Amino acid sequence: QITLEESGPTLVKPTQTLTLTCTFSGFSLRTDGMGVAWIRQPPGEALEWVALIFWNEDKRYIASLRNRLTITKDTSKNQVVLTMTNVDPVDTATYYCAQMRPSRSGVILFDHWGQGILVTVSS
Amino acid sequence: EIMMTQSPATLSVSPGERVTLSCRASQSVSSNLAWYQQKHGQAPRLLIYGASTRATGIPARFSGSGSGTEFTLTINSLQSEDFAVYYCQQYKNWPPVTFGPGTKVDIK
């Protein structure tokens, strides 16, 4: 059974750094083709893909946030960490981590999702 | 960046009806198109990928069609548990992976 769980602060102040952790089980980021993504959703709005890390350390970011984001993995702990610097109220959203279906052909599908964590940016 | 649009924004239907949702891509994505269902307060769930292949465990009343820039998700005989928001997602050209704005299916 595959599970993912997001953890981190639910309230951060503007200009602070946000660190979110995705702890997963049931799969390994050592598996060829595997990846884990972060996807966010502002209240009442649509889904927005944010970042993705692959089994081979390849990392991709949404261009609009690239200079504020870092995604890393700790394979031994089955964790993926997303760091976002200089947060703003517009970053208020539910942040989901999701397992990407293993693929070496560029197919990006999100098979399993965490329950999400609502992060509010406010002073 | 490939932009995705969906129509209508909201659809009010009665249980048992057939529902057709549309998704359009700003340029061809071939069949690299997925549909997700998101119920209130829950994470999204993958329904369809490759434009027309149902994901594991998805009931046969859900079907997808289309290719290129025009896609459709059809739900036959809508059940009470199908009231949700539906998002399309392209994975032809990335990054970024892009989602549509969603179509909300609610009770008439």
Side-chain angles (χ1 to χ4, degrees):
Chain A
Q1 181 189 2
I2 291 174
T3 65
L4 302 98
E5 183 173 8
E6 305 87 352
S7 60
T10 57
L11 179 64
V12 292
K13 291 179 168 41
T15 75
Q16 289 186 336
T17 294
L18 170 65
T19 299
L20 295 173
T21 300
C22 174
T23 303
F24 56 86
S25 63
F27 68 96
S28 172
L29 261 176
R30 293 189 179 94
T31 301
D32 205 350
M34 188 66 72
V36 171
W38 286 94
I39 297 156
R40 71 179 183 178
Q41 185 173 38
E45 298 186 25
L47 301 166
E48 179 180 56
W49 169 81
V50 171
L52 180 53
I53 188 165
F54 292 93
W55 85 104
N56 60 358
E57 290 286 356
D58 189 11
K59 303 171 186 180
R60 305 297 176 97
Y61 301 100
I62 188 170
S64 58
L65 299 175
R66 184 189 309 276
N67 61 348
R68 297 172 49 210
L69 294 176
T70 304
I71 189 170
T72 59
K73 65 181 177 71
D74 186 329
T75 305
S76 64
K77 292 182 179 179
N78 280 350
Q79 291 182 332
V80 170
V81 175
L82 180 73
T83 302
M84 178 184 291
T85 61
N86 193 27
V87 297
D88 182 271
V90 300
D91 296 314
T92 294
T94 296
Y95 286 76
Y96 296 100
C97 65
Q99 180 224 18
M100 192 192 92
R101 178 175 298 192
S103 171
R104 299 201 68 182
S105 60
V107 172
I108 306 294
L109 294 170
F110 306 113
D111 274 332
H112 298 92
W113 298 61
Q115 81 280 6
I117 181 170
L118 175 59
V119 178
T120 301
V121 180
S122 174
S123 55
Chain B
E1 175 177 336
I2 297 178
M3 305 297 293
M4 308 300 292
T5 56
Q6 291 184 244
S7 62
T10 303
L11 199 54
S12 296
V13 298
S14 300
E17 289 187 9
R18 182 183 186 190
V19 170
T20 301
L21 313 180
S22 295
C23 172
R24 176 176 291 179
S26 60
Q27 63 189 78
S28 176
V29 299
S30 299
S31 295
N32 297 291
L33 191 284
W35 290 92
Y36 294 82
Q37 176 194 65
Q38 186 178 33
K39 297 180 182 179
H40 183 70
Q42 297 184 19
R45 175 176 69 149
L46 178 65
L47 293 178
I48 300 282
Y49 62 93
S52 61
T53 303
R54 281 190 301 276
T56 302
I58 302 303
R61 65 179 181 273
F62 291 91
S63 62
S65 63
S67 65
T69 62
E70 302 282 344
F71 300 88
T72 298
L73 175 69
T74 300
I75 312 172
N76 285 306
S77 188
L78 196 77
Q79 304 297 299
S80 58
E81 62 265 31
D82 300 335
F83 292 100
V85 180
Y86 293 85
Y87 294 96
C88 58
Q89 173 228 322
Q90 70 81 21
Y91 50 94
K92 171 64 174 175
N93 289 340
W94 60 272
V97 172
T98 47
F99 292 89
T103 291
K104 182 179 181 180
V105 177
D106 65 15
I107 301 174
K108 182 184 288 184

